């Protein structure tokens, strides 16, 4: 009986770890900011507003700012990937 209970607890722990550990939803705001250090001031303003909202946990406020920066900015492929990743993670947290 104890062995079965131990196995069930281990299985539940692995399932919980898999649900949280495999879906990395942490938003790397430092990476986002450093990727756009040389962006035009109007784009930086939207990014800074989005980053501040993320850091405050206000994901519904961060989303429009980041999306506006995505449409307003001419960016490299790397910058686009970083920004799109941040937008995807903000959308997931805003739900």
């Amino acid at each position: 009986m104890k062995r079965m209970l131990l196995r069930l607890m281990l299985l539940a722990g692995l399932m919980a770890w898999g649900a949280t550990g495999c879906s990395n939803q942490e938003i790397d705001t430092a990476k986002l900011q450093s990727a756009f250090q040389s962006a035009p001031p109007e784009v930086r303003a939207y990014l800074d507003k989005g980053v501040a909202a993320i850091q405050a946990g206000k994901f519904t406020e961060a989303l429009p700012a980041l999306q506006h920066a995505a449409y307003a900015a001419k960016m490299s492929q790397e910058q686009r990937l970083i920004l799109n990743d941040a937008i995807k993670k903000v959308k997931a947290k805003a739900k």
Side-chain angles (χ1 to χ4, degrees), residues 5-56:
L5 183 59
L6 182 61
R7 286 182 183 172
L8 286 174
M9 289 174 46
L10 178 62
L11 181 60
L14 287 173
M15 288 173 48
W17 173 75
T20 58
C22 294
S23 61
N24 183 8
Q25 291 297 320
E26 292 301 315
I27 303 165
D28 191 350
T29 55
K31 184 176 180 181
L32 184 61
Q33 287 176 315
S34 68
F36 289 91
Q37 282 182 339
S38 62
E42 61 275 3
V43 174
R44 286 288 310 172
Y46 286 114
L47 285 170
D48 291 343
K49 182 179 178 181
V51 166
I54 290 168
Q55 291 171 340

Side-chain angles (χ1 to χ4, degrees), residues 42-86:
E42 61 275 3
V43 174
R44 286 288 310 172
Y46 286 114
L47 285 170
D48 291 343
K49 182 179 178 181
V51 166
I54 290 168
Q55 291 171 340
K58 298 178 180 179
F59 301 106
T60 56
E61 291 178 21
L63 189 57
L66 295 177
Q67 288 174 330
H68 193 78
Y71 291 118
K74 291 182 182 177
M75 60 187 88
S76 69
Q77 184 66 23
E78 181 184 0
Q79 288 172 321
R80 184 158 307 280
L81 289 173
I82 291 169
L83 185 55
N84 285 340
D85 183 56

